[in-house]
């Protein structure tokens, strides 16, 4: 899946949460995190003690154009400094132990983050280093933990994918796309009257061809055909195509009929 | 975020959808897709005409232990062959054009996939090649398209992250984790009676210390203290700690009181 690339116009919008990568190891991953942030409308990145220093060119080369997020990233010595100006902090933590803390799903976290943003408060999301995750001291800075519901038999989650899931949930938390819709592009969904016109056309040709000649069975057969064409929404364009198909398939019979009539005349 | 790694026990469970990677280019990405599948409980992988052939060792080295998914992956010449035994096919497609097709969100797709699985039917999810995405002929094999709600200004989505989002939605579609819960580990949430005992202890010590000596203001002050301690659920363990804190902080005053008494006696 590709899209708009190369220095995309990524600017902070509203009160979106800050992403805080704690002791990230690989610049590649920092770049991939920035890309995931851009996908989900998170724009502010903070780095706590990145292992290999900052900036790292490999982050930019792996961000697919999320340059502005990386350009604006700030570096902090510790978590306390990175979250100092925030009002609410959530820490992603797949396997919290010996801790008393509220635990949110990613979706629950996104809902709370939107509620926090709508109150004019700023929130941050802590993500731990690639292998070890956040340590107990990091987690103590958080108001709540976020634990993604995922296959407990295989929880090994790439850092950028952990960011992706929260970014995706943040975005969908304010998105109102219907779960299913018929994309019709240049055409539109046909009214039932238009569908009826087509079914009348089809039935007439099926009568003429003899397909419906078994009169006791005819009503049921017509009903079954109607059931099929009613199954999904049909567009104006598709109805035009269906009319064309029926007309074209009927043409042979009509021509043969003419030939047979001609033949009869000659006989 | 790490977890169980190295040849994890990943076996097909129920009727989970098949993931079909169409003309994938990089073995690294195929491995990352298998990892994301394992995270979300998708176990069957099919590859349509992988650019660099199959198998590719780099896929295994980049799968973080999702070996069994890769071991069992099958290779197909075209989409029609890859979906031949399936009953329902969804195609991920970020920017469909000139197509009349139902379009689902990732969450809507997950809901429909669970409905399909519960009917005993098998579904497949098509993902296109890294740069170009699925072409028009690929998409024509699908019953519906899946378009993720994401930042329209930055839709560039890594292949493994596209798989991750669908795998995550598939998993959460059957997950019943409450969006927020208090993790208490070895302890448990305290009853209100236990909290009351603590508040009585605290108030008694505050009375003794003179903190509540302004009698007209005392009821309001006690109420505000109660509001604070009522804000979140409190655990048994935390109440024990709070009792200890109050006792310990009060000790100095008591000892000083004794010293002062001794002093008075001596005076």
């Amino acid at each position: 899946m590709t899209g708009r690339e190369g220095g995309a116009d990524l600017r902070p919008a509203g009160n979106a949460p800050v992403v805080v990568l704690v002791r990230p190891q690989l610049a590649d991953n920092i770049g991939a995190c920035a890309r995931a942030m851009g996908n989900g409308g998170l724009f502010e990145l903070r780095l706590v003690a990145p292992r290999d220093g900052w900036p790292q060119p490999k982050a930019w080369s792996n961000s697919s154009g999320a340059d502005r997020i990386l350009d604006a990233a700030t570096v902090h010595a510790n978590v306390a400094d990175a979250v100092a100006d925030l009002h609410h902090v959530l820490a992603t933590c797949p396997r919290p132990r010996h801790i008393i803390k509220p635990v949110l799903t990613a979706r629950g976290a996104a809902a709370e983050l939107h509620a926090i943003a709508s109150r004019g408060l700023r929130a941050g999301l802590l993500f731990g280093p690639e292998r070890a995750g956040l340590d107990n001291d990091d987690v103590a800075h958080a108001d709540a933990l976020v634990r993604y519901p995922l296959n407990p038999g295989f929880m090994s989650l790439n850092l950028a994918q952990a960011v992706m899931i929260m970014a995706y949930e943040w975005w969908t938390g304010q998105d109102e796309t219907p779960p299913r819709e018929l994309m019709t592009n240049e055409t539109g969904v046909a009214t039932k009257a238009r569908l009826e016109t087509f079914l009348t056309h089809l039935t007439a040709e099926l009568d003429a061809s003899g397909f419906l000649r078994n009169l006791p069975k005819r009503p049921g057969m017509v009903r079954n055909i109607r059931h099929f064409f009613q199954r999904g929404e049909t567009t104006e364009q598709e109805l035009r195509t269906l009319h064309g198909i029926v007309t074209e398939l009927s043409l042979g019979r009509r021509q043969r009929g003419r030939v047979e009539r001609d033949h009869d005349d000659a006989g």
Side-chain angles (χ1 to χ4, degrees), chain A residues 73-178:
Chain A
T74 53
V75 177
H76 303 263
N78 51 54
V79 171
D81 182 50
V83 304
D85 63 327
L86 304 178
H87 302 97
H88 204 91
V89 175
L90 302 181
T92 59
C93 189
R95 293 167 305 168
R97 278 193 282 249
H98 312 301
I99 292 174
I100 299 169
K101 188 79 91 182
V103 179
L104 310 172
T105 60
R107 195 159 304 161
E112 295 198 7
L113 289 170
H114 279 287
I116 289 162
S118 72
R119 294 162 58 208
L121 303 178
R122 294 218 72 193
L125 279 160
L126 303 186
F127 294 87
E130 283 87 341
R131 296 215 155 264
L134 295 168
D135 68 24
N136 289 345
D137 286 333
D138 300 328
V139 164
H141 284 279
D143 295 79
L145 303 180
V146 186
R147 187 166 45 179
Y148 304 164
L150 282 171
N151 179 7
F154 192 69
M155 287 287 280
S156 167
L157 198 62
N158 173 275
L159 177 56
Q161 289 190 323
V163 172
M164 183 76 244
I165 287 176
M166 269 316 305
Y168 165 74
E169 284 287 5
W170 166 257
W171 187 272
T172 54
Q174 50 81 55
D175 179 81
E176 295 180 345
T177 310

Side-chain angles (χ1 to χ4, degrees), chain A residues 47-61:
Chain A
L47 306 173
V48 173
R51 188 188 66 182
D52 301 332
W54 189 258
Q56 291 279 339
K58 282 193 86 174
W60 274 257
S61 63

Side-chain angles (χ1 to χ4, degrees), chain A residues 12 30 40 46 51 62 77 88 123 129-130 140 160 162-163 169-170 178 189 191 218 235 239 248:
Chain A
I30 299 172
R46 299 181 185 179
R51 188 188 66 182
N62 204 35
H88 204 91
E130 283 87 341
V163 172
E169 284 287 5
W170 166 257
V189 176
T191 60
R218 187 181 179 282
T235 64
L239 282 183
E248 199 70 20

